[in-house]
PDB file of all heavy atoms in Angstrom:
ATOM      1  N   ARG Z 148     248.678  55.934 -73.717  1.00  0.00           N
ATOM      2  CA  ARG Z 148     248.127  55.055 -74.740  1.00  0.00           C
ATOM      3  C   ARG Z 148     249.083  54.923 -75.908  1.00  0.00           C
ATOM      4  O   ARG Z 148     249.310  53.838 -76.458  1.00  0.00           O
ATOM      5  CB  ARG Z 148     246.781  55.597 -75.191  1.00  0.00           C
ATOM      6  CG  ARG Z 148     246.052  54.711 -76.227  1.00  0.00           C
ATOM      7  CD  ARG Z 148     244.859  55.453 -76.784  1.00  0.00           C
ATOM      8  NE  ARG Z 148     243.864  55.726 -75.761  1.00  0.00           N
ATOM      9  CZ  ARG Z 148     242.829  54.919 -75.499  1.00  0.00           C
ATOM     10  NH1 ARG Z 148     242.673  53.827 -76.193  1.00  0.00           N
ATOM     11  NH2 ARG Z 148     241.980  55.252 -74.561  1.00  0.00           N
ATOM     12  N   ASP Z 149     249.638  56.074 -76.324  1.00  0.00           N
ATOM     13  CA  ASP Z 149     250.570  56.009 -77.482  1.00  0.00           C
ATOM     14  C   ASP Z 149     251.814  55.211 -77.129  1.00  0.00           C
ATOM     15  O   ASP Z 149     252.315  54.423 -77.947  1.00  0.00           O
ATOM     16  CB  ASP Z 149     250.970  57.465 -77.847  1.00  0.00           C
ATOM     17  CG  ASP Z 149     249.815  58.271 -78.398  1.00  0.00           C
ATOM     18  OD1 ASP Z 149     248.846  57.649 -78.885  1.00  0.00           O
ATOM     19  OD2 ASP Z 149     249.866  59.511 -78.325  1.00  0.00           O
ATOM     20  N   LEU Z 150     252.330  55.402 -75.895  1.00  0.00           N
ATOM     21  CA  LEU Z 150     253.514  54.629 -75.502  1.00  0.00           C
ATOM     22  C   LEU Z 150     253.218  53.150 -75.387  1.00  0.00           C
ATOM     23  O   LEU Z 150     254.015  52.304 -75.784  1.00  0.00           O
ATOM     24  CB  LEU Z 150     254.022  55.170 -74.153  1.00  0.00           C
ATOM     25  CG  LEU Z 150     254.584  56.583 -74.164  1.00  0.00           C
ATOM     26  CD1 LEU Z 150     254.944  57.014 -72.748  1.00  0.00           C
ATOM     27  CD2 LEU Z 150     255.809  56.661 -75.064  1.00  0.00           C
ATOM     28  N   SER Z 151     252.025  52.815 -74.865  1.00  0.00           N
ATOM     29  CA  SER Z 151     251.648  51.409 -74.740  1.00  0.00           C
ATOM     30  C   SER Z 151     251.433  50.772 -76.112  1.00  0.00           C
ATOM     31  O   SER Z 151     251.831  49.606 -76.316  1.00  0.00           O
ATOM     32  CB  SER Z 151     250.347  51.294 -73.922  1.00  0.00           C
ATOM     33  OG  SER Z 151     250.521  51.782 -72.603  1.00  0.00           O
ATOM     34  N   ALA Z 152     250.854  51.526 -77.025  1.00  0.00           N
ATOM     35  CA  ALA Z 152     250.659  51.007 -78.375  1.00  0.00           C
ATOM     36  C   ALA Z 152     251.998  50.742 -79.064  1.00  0.00           C
ATOM     37  O   ALA Z 152     252.197  49.712 -79.744  1.00  0.00           O
ATOM     38  CB  ALA Z 152     249.850  51.982 -79.198  1.00  0.00           C
ATOM     39  N   ARG Z 153     252.959  51.665 -78.851  1.00  0.00           N
ATOM     40  CA  ARG Z 153     254.306  51.455 -79.410  1.00  0.00           C
ATOM     41  C   ARG Z 153     254.981  50.243 -78.794  1.00  0.00           C
ATOM     42  O   ARG Z 153     255.644  49.480 -79.499  1.00  0.00           O
ATOM     43  CB  ARG Z 153     255.117  52.727 -79.172  1.00  0.00           C
ATOM     44  CG  ARG Z 153     256.529  52.673 -79.733  1.00  0.00           C
ATOM     45  CD  ARG Z 153     256.552  52.457 -81.238  1.00  0.00           C
ATOM     46  NE  ARG Z 153     257.866  52.501 -81.809  1.00  0.00           N
ATOM     47  CZ  ARG Z 153     258.172  52.001 -82.989  1.00  0.00           C
ATOM     48  NH1 ARG Z 153     257.243  51.435 -83.730  1.00  0.00           N
ATOM     49  NH2 ARG Z 153     259.401  52.060 -83.434  1.00  0.00           N
ATOM     50  N   LEU Z 154     254.830  50.090 -77.492  1.00  0.00           N
ATOM     51  CA  LEU Z 154     255.410  48.917 -76.838  1.00  0.00           C
ATOM     52  C   LEU Z 154     254.834  47.627 -77.419  1.00  0.00           C
ATOM     53  O   LEU Z 154     255.566  46.692 -77.746  1.00  0.00           O
ATOM     54  CB  LEU Z 154     255.129  48.970 -75.336  1.00  0.00           C
ATOM     55  CG  LEU Z 154     255.479  47.745 -74.502  1.00  0.00           C
ATOM     56  CD1 LEU Z 154     256.975  47.442 -74.583  1.00  0.00           C
ATOM     57  CD2 LEU Z 154     255.058  47.938 -73.038  1.00  0.00           C
ATOM     58  N   ALA Z 155     253.516  47.563 -77.538  1.00  0.00           N
ATOM     59  CA  ALA Z 155     252.872  46.356 -78.073  1.00  0.00           C
ATOM     60  C   ALA Z 155     253.309  46.078 -79.496  1.00  0.00           C
ATOM     61  O   ALA Z 155     253.527  44.936 -79.899  1.00  0.00           O
ATOM     62  CB  ALA Z 155     251.374  46.495 -78.001  1.00  0.00           C
ATOM     63  N   GLU Z 156     253.500  47.154 -80.286  1.00  0.00           N
ATOM     64  CA  GLU Z 156     253.925  47.007 -81.678  1.00  0.00           C
ATOM     65  C   GLU Z 156     255.309  46.421 -81.784  1.00  0.00           C
ATOM     66  O   GLU Z 156     255.573  45.484 -82.546  1.00  0.00           O
ATOM     67  CB  GLU Z 156     253.846  48.376 -82.356  1.00  0.00           C
ATOM     68  CG  GLU Z 156     254.303  48.341 -83.821  1.00  0.00           C
ATOM     69  CD  GLU Z 156     254.302  49.731 -84.424  1.00  0.00           C
ATOM     70  OE1 GLU Z 156     253.768  50.679 -83.796  1.00  0.00           O
ATOM     71  OE2 GLU Z 156     254.861  49.881 -85.532  1.00  0.00           O
ATOM     72  N   ILE Z 157     256.233  46.980 -80.974  1.00  0.00           N
ATOM     73  CA  ILE Z 157     257.639  46.507 -81.051  1.00  0.00           C
ATOM     74  C   ILE Z 157     257.740  45.073 -80.498  1.00  0.00           C
ATOM     75  O   ILE Z 157     258.460  44.228 -81.047  1.00  0.00           O
ATOM     76  CB  ILE Z 157     258.555  47.462 -80.259  1.00  0.00           C
ATOM     77  CG1 ILE Z 157     258.550  48.835 -80.906  1.00  0.00           C
ATOM     78  CG2 ILE Z 157     259.983  46.884 -80.214  1.00  0.00           C
ATOM     79  CD1 ILE Z 157     259.403  49.857 -80.171  1.00  0.00           C
ATOM     80  N   VAL Z 158     257.039  44.770 -79.393  1.00  0.00           N
ATOM     81  CA  VAL Z 158     257.066  43.428 -78.859  1.00  0.00           C
ATOM     82  C   VAL Z 158     256.503  42.410 -79.866  1.00  0.00           C
ATOM     83  O   VAL Z 158     257.036  41.317 -80.037  1.00  0.00           O
ATOM     84  CB  VAL Z 158     256.287  43.348 -77.526  1.00  0.00           C
ATOM     85  CG1 VAL Z 158     256.077  41.890 -77.100  1.00  0.00           C
ATOM     86  CG2 VAL Z 158     257.033  44.104 -76.452  1.00  0.00           C
ATOM     87  N   SER Z 159     255.459  42.819 -80.569  1.00  0.00           N
ATOM     88  CA  SER Z 159     254.891  41.958 -81.608  1.00  0.00           C
ATOM     89  C   SER Z 159     255.889  41.693 -82.739  1.00  0.00           C
ATOM     90  O   SER Z 159     256.037  40.585 -83.230  1.00  0.00           O
ATOM     91  CB  SER Z 159     253.616  42.591 -82.172  1.00  0.00           C
ATOM     92  OG  SER Z 159     253.092  41.775 -83.207  1.00  0.00           O
ATOM     93  N   ASP Z 160     256.649  42.761 -83.102  1.00  0.00           N
ATOM     94  CA  ASP Z 160     257.685  42.583 -84.145  1.00  0.00           C
ATOM     95  C   ASP Z 160     258.781  41.625 -83.654  1.00  0.00           C
ATOM     96  O   ASP Z 160     259.255  40.777 -84.408  1.00  0.00           O
ATOM     97  CB  ASP Z 160     258.321  43.926 -84.488  1.00  0.00           C
ATOM     98  CG  ASP Z 160     257.347  44.839 -85.246  1.00  0.00           C
ATOM     99  OD1 ASP Z 160     256.343  44.322 -85.753  1.00  0.00           O
ATOM    100  OD2 ASP Z 160     257.608  46.062 -85.285  1.00  0.00           O
ATOM    101  N   ILE Z 161     259.194  41.772 -82.398  1.00  0.00           N
ATOM    102  CA  ILE Z 161     260.240  40.884 -81.858  1.00  0.00           C
ATOM    103  C   ILE Z 161     259.769  39.443 -81.870  1.00  0.00           C
ATOM    104  O   ILE Z 161     260.504  38.526 -82.280  1.00  0.00           O
ATOM    105  CB  ILE Z 161     260.637  41.316 -80.428  1.00  0.00           C
ATOM    106  CG1 ILE Z 161     261.306  42.695 -80.438  1.00  0.00           C
ATOM    107  CG2 ILE Z 161     261.555  40.277 -79.777  1.00  0.00           C
ATOM    108  CD1 ILE Z 161     261.598  43.241 -79.052  1.00  0.00           C
ATOM    109  N   GLU Z 162     258.558  39.196 -81.429  1.00  0.00           N
ATOM    110  CA  GLU Z 162     258.023  37.825 -81.403  1.00  0.00           C
ATOM    111  C   GLU Z 162     257.866  37.255 -82.789  1.00  0.00           C
ATOM    112  O   GLU Z 162     257.932  36.026 -82.965  1.00  0.00           O
ATOM    113  CB  GLU Z 162     256.709  37.806 -80.659  1.00  0.00           C
ATOM    114  CG  GLU Z 162     256.838  38.118 -79.183  1.00  0.00           C
ATOM    115  CD  GLU Z 162     255.501  38.212 -78.478  1.00  0.00           C
ATOM    116  OE1 GLU Z 162     254.463  38.326 -79.190  1.00  0.00           O
ATOM    117  OE2 GLU Z 162     255.478  38.201 -77.210  1.00  0.00           O
TER     118      GLU Z 162
END
Side-chain angles (χ1 to χ4, degrees):
R148 182 189 297 267
D149 294 337
L150 293 175
S151 298
R153 181 58 177 162
L154 172 61
E156 178 184 349
I157 297 178
V158 169
S159 178
D160 290 344
I161 293 175
E162 293 175 344

